[in-house]
Each structure stands twice: as structure tokens, then as C-alpha cells.
Amino acid sequence: MPRRIEILVFPDAQLLDATGPAQVFASANEMALRSAHLEKGPLYEIALVAEMAEVTTNSGIALRCALLSENRPAPDTAIAVGGSGVNAACSRPALIDWVRDRAIHARRMASVCSGAFLLAQAGLLDGRRAVTHWHRYDEFAGRFPQVRLERDPIFVNDGNIWTSAGVTAGIDLALAMVEEDHGRTLALAVARELVVFLKRPGGQSQFSAPLRLQTADDRFSDLHAWISANLTRPLTLDTLADRAGMSLRSFARHYRQRTGRTPAEAVEIIRLERAQGLLETGSSVEVTARKCGFGSTETMRRVFLRRLGVGPKDWQERFHD
């Protein structure tokens, strides 16, 4: 029997939150068919569900849906999407009841983007690790302090509850589900068909180092670009303050106020991201440590372990083709 996937949508939902994962599962069916794996039918049966038969997303595109009120067996996997209409959706008892019911009866319960608000409203994320769109991190943390919310990951899997970061991260989440269900070979074939990366791991940041360090006034964007181009230099606080044209004390204070991080943390984040990229393209650990300005392989190893939970060699083994 195919694994049934139900994707919950609502007025002003984010279109790609729903169609991105749906296409991953649909492409898995197509890839398996091409590989002659579909001897007994498709791997997945995909359905959009909602309170009404037609839902208009925040892009203005309408989606035809099965009704929540229809009596049907629980799916293998239930996914709640996000979007600008999610706060209104959280006040809809029928939607929250659906989330709670599916969490009990489905093998996996998941959310994409701000769909995590629906799971949290239903009480499913209390005490669990979770992630949502970075732009709504503070709002979510304020409303649901009992959730162990993380800022950076692409997706988080805590037991049978999966949550993903913003919009396209739902594709990463769905690919990980296909890999869990049917193996890496099929998931990789789907990723190649959709021209996306399979290897973007759940623990990888949902945005690059420069974007993480970006601020509303973009005061230090030139400094970040300079740091990226000069990683082998001794990037001391004095050097950075001089480059920013500020006194040491003023620079340290203003930088933290605007980015939420110390200058030393920023340098480490940029060095780490460069090291990840070099290792993924086959650079040796020793060369990578030197090119990224870590000073020694041991220093780089400690940074990897602290920020990513794995060492450089393990990272390379996992993500280098």
C-alpha cells in the first residue's frame, strides 16, 4: 500500500510550503517507476486537506483540497504548512483538532516554515526541539516558551515530530523522509530531478554566515566581506575595529548591539562556513584549517564539534561526493 501523505492548508498559506514537499513525494513515485520499483503501485499517495474544498494561498493561487470533515484513515505522514495566514489558522478549532488527531494516529507529524505555530498551538512541541522560519523566531519563542526552539537548522526531527525552517526547507524535510522510507539512492534521484541538494543536512544553518550576521542597517556588511576575503590574517579585535574605523570599545559594543554576536563569534562563523565548503569539495583537513585561518587542525576540530556536533573528518565523509 502507498504511504498516504496529508498536507494541511488554509487561507493565505504559503504555496511552496505545500507544493514543495508534495512534488518531492510525487517525484519519488516517478523515479521509482523509472527504476521499475513500482510493482504494486505508487510509493506515496498525496492529498491536500483543508476546511473547505478550495483554498486561496497568499500568492493568489487556489488549491483544490479534500475536506477535513471527510472520514478517512489516518495518513502515514501529516504535514502542516505555514504562511501569512497561520495566526488565523491557529484560532480555528477544526485545524488544531486535526493536528492533534494526526499526531496521535499518523507515523509522522510535521510542519513546514511557520506551520510550527500550529503544532505548538496544539501542544505537540512542548519540551521538544523545533525550528521555524528565521523571521518569526522571536515571535514563536515569545508565544511558546516551553518549546526548545532552535534558530539555525534546516529541519529538526524529534521523535515522530518533524519541523522545518522557512519555505524551501520543506523540500529538504520531504527528501529526508523519502530517504528514511526508501533509502538514499531514491532520495538522491529525486533531488537530482528537482535540481536541489540532497546533502543539505538538518543541522546545517538555514542561511549563510553573511546573512546570519546581516542587520537592518547593514552597518558591518563591508567588514564581513573583508573578513571573508582575509581569513588567513590574524583577525584580532584591534584589527577589526581599525577596519571598521571605530575605537576598540565602541566597535565591540556597537557590533554586538547590531548583530547579537561578538566580533570573535562572527569571525568563527565565517571561518566555519568556508571550512565546510572546502571539505565538501575534497580539500584535506590540514589545508582547510590553513586556508580558513584556524591556526591548527585541533582548533578547527573543536569549532566543528562545538557548532556542528561532528568533527571535520566526519563532516567530509558525510557530505563529500
Side-chain angles (χ1 to χ4, degrees), residues 116-139:
F117 281 74
L118 285 164
L119 272 59
Q121 186 69 33
L124 302 184
L125 300 182
D126 292 359
R128 292 182 183 269
R129 296 172 58 234
V131 67
T132 189
H133 193 292
W134 65 268
H135 186 66
R136 304 192 69 168
Y137 176 93
D138 292 336
E139 177 189 356

Side-chain angles (χ1 to χ4, degrees), residues 245-281:
M246 303 171 70
S247 70
L248 189 65
R249 185 174 179 180
S250 177
F251 170 68
R253 183 178 71 255
H254 284 92
Y255 189 90
R256 185 167 195 128
Q257 287 175 348
R258 284 172 166 78
T259 69
R261 304 176 190 271
T262 67
E265 288 174 321
V267 171
E268 184 174 272
I269 287 169
I270 294 172
R271 281 184 166 139
L272 177 63
E273 185 175 81
R274 179 69 58 80
Q276 289 173 265
L278 288 173
L279 290 170
E280 289 167 11
T281 55

Side-chain angles (χ1 to χ4, degrees), residues 17 20-21 24 111-113 154 164-175:
D17 285 6
V24 168
S111 65
V112 177
C113 193
I154 294 292
S164 80
V167 193
T168 59
I171 294 174
D172 296 88
L173 179 142
L175 284 168

Side-chain angles (χ1 to χ4, degrees), residues 276-295:
Q276 289 173 265
L278 288 173
L279 290 170
E280 289 167 11
T281 55
S283 177
S284 70
V285 171
E286 293 74 17
V287 169
T288 298
R290 184 174 68 252
K291 286 186 174 180
C292 296
F294 282 106

Side-chain angles (χ1 to χ4, degrees), residues 100 116 155 190-191 251 277:
R100 288 178 178 143
F155 63 84
V190 173
F251 170 68

